[in-house]
Structures are given as C-alpha cells and as structure tokens.
Amino acid sequence: MNLRPFLAAALIAFSASSQAVTLKWGAQNDILTLDLHSQNHATTNGILQHTYEGLVRYTRDFAVEPCLAASWQLISPTQYRFNLRKNVKFHDGTPFTADDVVFSYHRILQPQGTMQIYVAGVKEVRKIDDYTVDLILGGPSPILLRNLVDFRIMSRAWAVKNKSENVQNYVAKEESYASRNTNGTGPYLIKLWEPDKRLVMQANPNWWGKLDGNVTEVIYTPIKADATRVAALLSGDVDIVTDLPTQDVTRLRNDPKLKVLDGHEVRTIFIGLDQHNSELLYSNVKGKNPFKDIRVRKALNLAVDREAIKRVTMRGLSIPAAIMVAPGVHGHSPDIDKVSPVDAEGARKLLAEAGYPNGFEFGLDCPNNRYVNDEEICQALVGMWARVGLKAKLNAQPMATFIQKIQKFDHAAYMLGWGVATFDGLYTLQSLVRTKTTGADGSFNLGRISDAKLDALIDALKTETDVKKRDGILREVLVATRDNYYYVPLHHQLRPWAMKKNVSTVHKADDRPESRFARID
Amino acid sequence: MAADAGWLRRALGHDLAWSFRHSPVTILAAFLTLVCVGAALFAPWIAPHNPFDSATLNLNDGFTPPAWTEKGSAKYLLGTDDQGRDVLSTIMYGSRISLGIGLAAVLFSLILGVTLGLLSGYLGGRLDAIIMRVADVQLSFPAILIALLVDGVARVALPRETHDDIAIPVLIFSIGVAGWVQYARTVRGSTLVEKNKEYVQAARVIGRHPTAIMLRHVLPNVTGPVLVIATIHIATAIITEATLSFLGVGVPPTQPSLGTLVRIGNDFLISGEWWITVFPGAALVVLVLSVNLLGDWLRDALNPKLR
C-alpha cells in the first residue's frame, strides 16, 4: 500500500491549518437566528455584521464610511443617491446589484421582523441602474446614514432560489432556509452554527475589502454561566471574552497572561414607570396612579444611591446616570448628566406631601439574564426604596418572558436598558419619550409617557438639519425628560473585554466586537 | 401484639439508650443536629439580622469579609453577601427552609410509601403487582432525576406568576414522590410476614374491617424499619433540595435555602469572596452529616442481627 498520497495530503492539511489564525471568542448569549432581517437583538446583529454588509458601515471611531455603497450624494434634502460598489460578489458567487438593495428594503419592512427602525424615514428605494439606487425620504433626515448601518443586504437571487423571500416569523417559531444559512458579501462566511454550542466563521477569500487584522477563523462559543466563562479564559480555552462578570474584572486585570480592554457601552439602564393607567397595577393604592405625581417620581429618584450600586454591585464598572443617554451618544454632555446625591429624608418628605406618608406597594419587573447584574441591581433598589417606605415587590424573570409581559403594559415599574445603535440621542427619545404610536414613535415607551410639548420637539429633531439648532433642541428634551422625572435613570454600563495578551482588537461602544479588527500575534 | 409493643418500649428504654451513651460519634452528631435545628427553629429571635427585611439592608455593607479578617466588621461575624445581607443570618434562615422542606418531603414520602406498602402487602393480587412494578420502574431512575422531572412539569403546567409562591410545595411534592419506593417495599415485606401471623388471622375471624386491621394491627409492627429509613431519608431529602436549588430549579432567591445560598455565592468564588458560598456549604455538610450519622446509628441499634 502506498502511503505517500496520504502523507502528502496530511502535510498539506497541516501546513494549511498552521497558517489559519483562529480567534476563540466566548460570550454569554447565543444569537437568535441567522435571518438578518428578523430580530433586532444586539448579539445577533453583532455576529451577522461579520457576514452581511450594509450600504455604509462604522469605522473604528464610529464615523460612517462607505461599504457596499462606494459613494453617495444628496440630490435634494429628501433624495439620497447611492453609487454601489462594483465587482462585489455574494458568498455563493452571484454579483451584488441594485436589485438586491431594493429587495432587502422590502424584506426588512415586513411586519414579522423587528428591524424596520433601520430604514425609518425612507419612503422608497428606487433603482436607477444596476449600480445606482435612490433613497426617497419622507422628510429631511439628519441621521439617515447612521440608521442605515444596520440595514444589511441579502441576495435576491439566493432568497428566491431558497424560498426565503419572507422574513422568518421568529415569535411563531418559524424556521426558513435563511434562518439556518447565510449568504452575504461580508469579510467572514458562517460555516457552521450549532445553537447554544458554537458558531464557526471563516475569512472570505473573495471579500472586496481588506482585513485590518489577521484572523482567518472565528469560533464563537456562548457560555451562559459567569464562572464557567471566566474559567474558560483563565484556562486558555478561549482567546477573548465579552460579557465579563463585574466581580471577576479585577482578578483578570491582575493576571499576567491576560489584558483587559476598557470601554463604555452606549447603553443606559433605567427604571420605567407606568404613567398612563388611572389605577396603578400591582399596587395597594386603589383608584389612582401615584406615578402620575411628579413628587412621587422625584422621590423614587432621590432614594436611589447610584454611587453604592456603582461601588458594590457594579464594582466600579458603571457611570451613574441622570439623563437617558450615555457618553458617546450625540446629545450627551457631562454638565447635564450630574447625579444628585441620595436624599432619603427629602424623598420621604415628598411622598408625605403627595399623600403617601407611609409609602405604598408596587410591583417591579426585572430581567435576570440581560443586563450586567440586572437582578442584583433590582434587589438593591428594593432595599433603597424600602428605606423611604416604598415596598417594591420584585419579579425577576428571564428576558424572553419579561419582555412579553412589559410590552403588554402589564406592569407598574420595570427595568430596561437602552442601547443606541445610531449614536444619536433621537434614537432614545423617539423610542422612550415620544407618545406611543404603532410605529417607531414611542416603540418602547412602555410607561406610556405623553408630553405634547416634548412630542413636538422630538418630531422637530427628526427633520431639523441645522446642526446647532438641532443640538439645542436635543439638549432641551434630554433636560426636560430628566427634570420631569419621567424615568429613573440608574447608570451607563461600562463593558470591558478580557483577552489573552497576544490578542488585540478595537473596543466598540456598541459592545459588538468586529473580528476584522482583531489580531493574534 | 402486646408482646411486640413491649419489644419496642424495651428497646427505646434500654438498648437504644445504652448504645447511644457508648457511641461518642453519635453524641456529637446529636449535639450538632440539635444546634442546627435550634438555630433554624429560633432564627427570627436569635439571628443577628433579619436578611429579608429590605429596609434594614445597606448596600454599602456589601461584600464585607468575615469578622476575623483584616477588612471584617464585628457587626457581621461571617461577612455579608452581594446585597449586604449578613451571611450568618442567611444561613440560619436558610436552614429553616432546608430543614422544613426536608422534613415535609420525608413525611410526604412516608405517608405515601407506607400506605401503598400496606395496601400492596395486605391486599396482594393485581394491586400488589401494579404498585410493585411501578416501584421497580421508579427504582431504576435516580431520585434527583425524578424530582427534576416533576419540578419541570410543574413549572410548565403552572402559570409563571405563581412560581415563586408555590415553589416550596412543588419541591416538597417532587422530592417526596421521588422517595416513596423504599418505604413501600419495606412495609410490604413486613406486612407479608405479619398478615399470616395468628393475631391478624384472629382479628380477621372476629370480623374487623380490613382497614382497621391494617392500621391498628399490622402498622404498629412495621414501624421500626420505617423510622430508620425516614431518618436517613431526611439527610437525602435535604441534599436533593440543595442540589435542585443549586441548579436553579429549587426555591427562589427571595427565600433562599442553603442550596440557593451556595449557588448565589458560587458566582463570587473566582473573585475571592469565598465566604458567601463556603459558609452555607459548610453548614449544609454539618447538618446532613450529623443527621446521617444519627440515622446510621439508629439502624444499627434497631437491627437485632447486628447485636
């Protein structure tokens, strides 16, 4: 028997694998689906951006740069012309053209998906020729390009061939070819996805762009348990870990084999309050809603010791918040984000003035697997409010159950975190403060705050193109939201990532590592 | 019958006391059990803090190490957890839950197992065959698996909002159901022996109802082995509850048992706050070990063949 061909093959395989640079990445959650237009979920978007691209993308510093569009110009305030990049091929070899952009626009708008906000304000996508599309807007949109980053393009031919023209209906547990397979234009191909086990990506040899790093293979492993995830990094099973448990950061910092990349996330954690029902749910106050009284809302704010949460629960990994947007979001300014010191006496006095000298009871809904230490923070809040006489009854549940409950307005108070994908304060204000409609306006205004004056200002923000004037309005709305105590902002999250010494990458404030920036030396 | 009751009284009054006095390990175990049970029973009066009164908690005291370490505070002997709760007090309150669930589950198993065993042994026939085959099938699964199964089904079947309120009854039921087989088989064996004895036949001849015969005549004579099983089972039940709670399917963190406390503390082990998990773990070991030693001793003392 001649072994030579086998040996040669083995040698080739060996040399090929020795050239592959593999980044093993451990994180808390798995993605929900591979269908890029189905779920607006940070982890899912973070993985899919490796394989599907949009017309524009962010640079390392979150400036907008050309991606599948090579350039663009404003024809009128409501018409953008995008010149598409030529000679770009999808992973299956079909060429990328204007048809794919038009197709993807109609696909992302389908109601069973949750990604429509990324084409908000776009009325129509018009094909001019194979490599030119026009976006027709409903009105001027100062933040259109930032919105479009997460509007990613799927091949029309591939979707038609595999009967995946329709977005997967995730809530109805539907599966489609596109929810299990990918075909993008991006720097990495998704080779394998075993849900809750691992996801393997390989560098796309035919990508139009050039990797900033040298990683040719990425193995993404979701590891739910905090201690296990950290142990995997300490033992060298993974190269980089995101979603670090706060209590372990100090230890990882002191480990000579590891380094910690610090950075904040553009996400603000807050408590929302029902200000719509005439009788508060889950409360012993009957016949009225105490949260409609600004004095009660102010008392809730004054009773919270944000510094203690930062020091003990978050181990320093938070920035106490007074306004609803984090540093790094356009509109944030340190002078309006100053937290007033905790004042239990003042809170008690305000409650007495409002007619609740002995406080009252209310339900507090919390997720227990979404934000950093979410349940622990809620437990701490229960204690802080108890000291001024307010009895919060905590109901901590997994995100999937929690989010369904609060989206039905079946709550008195709830914890939520709001990340800003567009890096502009309008995204937060439009979703959380604008009076609720069926569309993007007030989409997560679950306390159903309704303030006509702020509504008018928020609507003005959408179309105001004079930067100075717009910044003034943005500041005014942020301050008014704070001074009306519509929410109880807690903190802005800090999200360090830990990795082996030989790994380098760029910390991203949207908490989505991009492997094209990663290097292993 | 009178002769048999006399045997029990003699054993308790004489042999048991003798063997207890001559076994230092048993005395120590009994002492530790008493301490644990006492601490659990009187927790609301003797615990230094009430960990479940949120208004008294101070987050700023969170993660205080035990009193004898450098940064410790005399206020918190065994340190505090992530919410500033006193670890010693949470252990006391936690043992209450652990012991309560353990005892209730054993009681449930015992009633279920003894009833089925009596029926099976006394009535025989098809009922006996069915009960014993079910027992055989259940014996081929580990108890923890059955408890997990029952617990899982209950969680799906019942609405989510009620989970926290009914967590403890569900746990008692699932651990109880997982443990009845031993009782049933032991009682059935003894019943088979007893039912052919003359006093039972005599009772039958004078026309007593079968229920009365089972309860008044057979039952008192099969209680010895049941007591032994029950004592050892308490330790097993506490461990099963702790395991379920450690896995996160047991009691909710708002009413933590020892197992829940170990699970919560586990998150802080790598970061060096060892006391949050080690002390509840140690309390669990001491409690289970001493109950188990007592059970072993009782088994040996009551077994005439070992004498």
Side-chain angles (χ1 to χ4, degrees):
Chain A
M1 196 173 142
N2 187 358
L3 283 175
R4 213 168 290 160
F6 293 98
L7 286 175
L11 204 66
I12 290 164
F14 178 75
S15 61
S17 71
S18 70
Q19 280 163 7
V21 178
T22 303
L23 177 73
K24 283 174 279 179
W25 170 12
Q28 184 170 22
N29 297 305
D30 200 8
I31 60 169
L32 301 175
T33 172
L34 289 178
D35 190 329
L36 73 171
H37 297 141
S38 177
Q39 290 298 304
N40 191 7
H41 173 251
T43 309
T44 308
N45 290 340
I47 291 291
L48 289 181
Q49 69 179 351
H50 286 84
T51 202
Y52 284 109
E53 292 173 307
L55 296 173
V56 292
R57 68 179 185 193
Y58 284 132
T59 63
R60 290 164 177 254
D61 313 316
F62 290 107
V64 174
E65 69 174 0
C67 188
L68 288 181
S71 64
W72 54 85
Q73 65 263 20
L74 208 54
I75 292 179
S76 82
T78 58
Q79 186 174 9
Y80 269 85
R81 174 153 296 173
F82 286 87
N83 304 308
L84 304 183
R85 199 176 288 278
K86 289 177 184 153
N87 301 321
V88 173
K89 284 194 164 45
F90 285 99
H91 297 155
D92 68 350
T94 52
F96 159 71
T97 67
D99 288 331
D100 300 313
V101 180
V102 177
F103 168 74
S104 297
Y105 170 71
H106 289 296
R107 195 169 188 273
I108 204 173
L109 281 181
Q110 291 173 18
Q112 69 272 33
T114 57
M115 302 280 285
Q116 298 89 343
I117 184 139
Y118 297 114
V119 290
V122 180
K123 242 177 37 190
E124 192 195 336
V125 175
R126 199 177 290 159
K127 175 183 171 181
I128 304 300
D129 62 46
D130 269 0
Y131 293 100
T132 314
V133 289
D134 276 6
L135 266 61
I136 315 293
L137 311 182
S141 172
I143 55 157
L144 176 77
L145 293 173
R146 291 187 172 277
N147 260 344
L148 289 179
V149 170
D150 275 322
F151 164 48
R152 299 176 195 281
I153 309 298
M154 179 187 256
S155 158
R156 188 175 83 106
W158 180 78
V160 170
K161 191 175 116 205
N162 296 302
K163 299 191 176 56
S164 292
E165 298 101 313
N166 287 332
V167 173
Q168 168 204 21
N169 188 344
Y170 182 79
V171 179
K173 300 194 167 81
E174 189 182 279
E175 291 284 354
S176 69
Y177 191 80
S179 71
R180 288 283 154 179
N181 299 275
T182 56
N183 179 37
T185 55
Y188 291 89
L189 307 147
I190 294 182
K191 281 281 169 201
L192 172 79
W193 177 39
E194 296 174 76
D196 286 328
K197 209 165 151 211
R198 65 188 173 139
L199 183 143
V200 181
M201 296 191 269
Q202 245 166 36
N204 173 9
N206 303 318
W207 188 41
W208 56 269
K210 203 174 153 305
L211 294 177
D212 278 12
N214 64 351
V215 170
T216 56
E217 188 186 38
V218 181
I219 300 177
Y220 178 84
T221 314
I223 309 172
K224 269 253 154 355
D226 283 347
T228 319
R229 197 162 57 251
V230 171
L233 181 65
L234 290 171
S235 68
D237 286 344
V238 295
D239 300 313
I240 179 168
V241 165
T242 51
D243 306 315
L244 287 181
T246 47
Q247 65 267 20
D248 296 326
V249 173
T250 316
R251 177 179 167 168
L252 295 174
R253 261 186 231 286
N254 295 334
D255 192 310
K257 290 188 309 229
L258 304 176
K259 64 178 176 191
V260 172
L261 200 58
D262 282 295
H264 65 81
E265 187 191 4
V266 284
R267 184 181 295 281
T268 304
I269 308 294
F270 59 87
I271 300 294
L273 307 166
D274 172 46
Q275 289 156 59
H276 174 84
N277 288 330
S278 46
E279 182 176 295
L280 192 61
L281 300 172
Y282 303 102
S283 169
N284 61 354
V285 178
K286 295 298 164 206
K288 56 180 172 174
N289 182 345
F291 292 156
K292 287 190 174 188
D293 189 327
I294 186 173
R295 289 170 296 192
V296 174
R297 299 200 299 267
K298 186 174 181 189
L300 281 164
N301 265 283
L302 285 181
V304 175
D305 189 347
R306 295 169 177 85
E307 289 295 337
I309 295 179
K310 174 184 175 182
R311 194 177 63 78
V312 180
T313 314
M314 300 298 288
R315 316 243 180 176
L317 293 175
S318 70
I319 306 169
I323 60 170
M324 294 294 288
V325 295
V329 176
H330 189 76
H332 178 274
S333 160
D335 64 302
I336 56 172
D337 197 13
K338 280 208 189 85
V339 174
S340 50
V342 55
D343 179 8
E345 204 44 57
R348 241 178 264 124
K349 230 167 89 191
L350 279 166
L351 284 174
E353 273 174 39
Y356 307 99
N358 302 316
F360 57 90
E361 269 181 39
F362 61 92
L364 173 63
D365 282 290
C366 268
N368 62 12
N369 62 352
R370 179 64 185 89
Y371 310 111
V372 182
N373 297 335
D374 39 16
E375 186 174 0
E376 291 78 4
I377 296 167
C378 282
Q379 285 179 12
L381 287 175
V382 169
M384 290 169 186
W385 284 331
R387 245 167 287 141
V388 301
L390 295 167
K391 282 174 220 58
K393 288 168 295 175
L394 176 59
N395 177 23
Q397 310 183 69
M399 186 66 177
T401 342
F402 161 81
I403 199 82
Q404 283 173 4
K405 181 169 188 273
I406 66 164
Q407 284 194 313
K408 281 185 270 179
F409 311 111
D410 182 19
H411 57 76
Y414 59 93
M415 168 192 260
L416 204 65
W418 202 247
V420 183
T422 60
F423 294 86
D424 184 276
L426 172 64
Y427 185 86
T428 300
L429 296 171
Q430 187 183 358
S431 308
L432 301 181
V433 182
R434 175 75 170 73
T435 300
K436 191 159 177 58
T437 62
T438 49
D441 281 343
S443 59
F444 271 81
N445 180 356
L446 303 176
R448 286 180 282 179
I449 299 154
S450 184
D451 184 326
K453 194 176 149 232
L454 292 187
D455 285 354
L457 290 172
I458 292 169
D459 288 342
L461 281 176
K462 294 179 195 163
T463 50
E464 181 56 63
T465 43
D466 179 340
V467 175
K468 220 168 154 196
K469 210 165 148 200
R470 188 173 183 275
D471 287 356
I473 305 174
L474 193 52
R475 186 185 171 95
E476 189 184 340
V477 183
L478 286 168
V479 170
T481 306
R482 178 192 72 184
D483 294 343
N484 280 305
Y485 302 97
Y486 284 137
Y487 286 98
V488 185
L490 299 174
H491 55 241
H492 314 300
Q493 285 189 167
L494 292 177
R495 297 284 282 174
W497 303 342
M499 60 205 80
K500 291 183 184 162
K501 271 262 152 71
N502 62 346
V503 178
S504 49
T505 189
V506 178
H507 190 280
K508 306 282 303 265
D510 55 7
D511 206 33
R512 300 182 192 171
E514 276 197 71
S515 301
R516 68 185 162 107
F517 295 126
R519 273 199 85 77
I520 300 183
D521 301 308
Chain B
M1 187 197 170
D4 287 281
W7 162 83
L8 191 64
R9 196 176 309 128
R10 253 201 334 274
L12 281 172
H14 188 224
D15 293 352
L16 270 185
W18 185 88
S19 81
F20 183 77
R21 278 202 307 276
H22 287 80
S23 166
V25 175
T26 311
I27 296 174
L28 183 68
F31 172 72
L32 287 176
T33 310
L34 267 181
V35 170
C36 290
V37 172
L41 215 55
F42 302 110
W45 298 279
I46 58 173
H49 302 267
N50 179 356
F52 303 114
D53 181 2
S54 337
T56 65
L57 295 182
N58 190 348
L59 188 61
N60 280 309
D61 286 344
F63 299 116
T64 310
W68 58 87
T69 57
E70 202 182 317
K71 286 182 184 156
S73 144
K75 207 172 148 198
Y76 305 110
L77 187 61
L78 300 183
T80 63
D81 70 0
D82 59 319
Q83 296 287 332
R85 282 183 292 236
D86 177 40
V87 170
L88 178 63
S89 309
T90 54
I91 291 175
M92 286 175 154
Y93 278 85
S95 323
R96 250 168 112 79
I97 308 264
S98 288
L99 266 173
I101 292 178
L103 287 174
V106 166
L107 198 68
F108 182 75
S109 284
L110 191 142
I111 294 173
L112 187 68
V114 170
T115 315
L116 290 176
L118 268 178
L119 288 173
S120 182
Y122 190 80
L123 299 176
R126 192 168 289 172
L127 182 74
D128 178 35
I130 293 173
I131 293 177
M132 283 304 117
R133 290 304 77 74
V134 172
D136 287 345
V137 170
Q138 188 172 328
L139 264 189
S140 61
F141 292 100
I144 183 90
L145 210 65
I146 294 167
L148 265 175
L149 188 79
V150 175
D151 199 81
V153 170
R155 262 160 207 275
V156 177
L158 298 163
R160 178 110 220 144
E161 293 72 39
T162 60
H163 279 186
D164 279 7
D165 304 325
I166 53 139
I168 289 178
V170 165
L171 261 183
I172 292 172
F173 177 76
S174 54
I175 299 170
V177 163
W180 65 275
V181 174
Q182 268 189 305
Y183 298 95
R185 284 165 68 111
T186 314
V187 170
R188 173 178 175 270
S190 315
T191 309
L192 283 178
V193 174
E194 297 295 327
K195 85 169 176 187
N196 292 321
K197 288 199 177 157
E198 284 166 358
Y199 71 93
V200 177
Q201 288 174 348
R204 214 179 290 164
V205 168
I206 60 169
R208 295 215 67 178
H209 194 269
T211 318
I213 300 177
M214 275 190 266
L215 290 179
R216 302 288 302 276
H217 300 271
V218 182
L219 184 60
N221 290 301
V222 299
T223 45
V226 167
L227 271 184
V228 174
I229 299 176
T231 322
I232 295 172
H233 191 202
I234 291 174
T236 324
I238 292 174
I239 283 286
T240 309
E241 183 278 322
T243 313
L244 289 176
S245 293
F246 182 78
L247 294 174
V249 295
V251 295
T254 43
Q255 307 161 284
S257 71
L258 291 174
T260 320
L261 292 176
V262 173
R263 170 169 67 93
I264 295 171
N266 209 28
D267 284 345
F268 307 111
L269 202 54
I270 294 184
S271 58
E273 281 102 6
W274 53 272
W275 58 91
I276 306 174
T277 191
V278 166
F279 290 126
L284 185 66
V285 169
V286 168
L287 175 63
V288 169
L289 190 65
S290 18
V291 173
N292 224 337
L293 284 172
L294 273 183
D296 278 357
W297 160 78
L298 196 65
R299 184 192 58 205
D300 295 349
L302 284 182
N303 190 346
K305 286 188 193 135
L306 286 179
R307 260 183 253 147

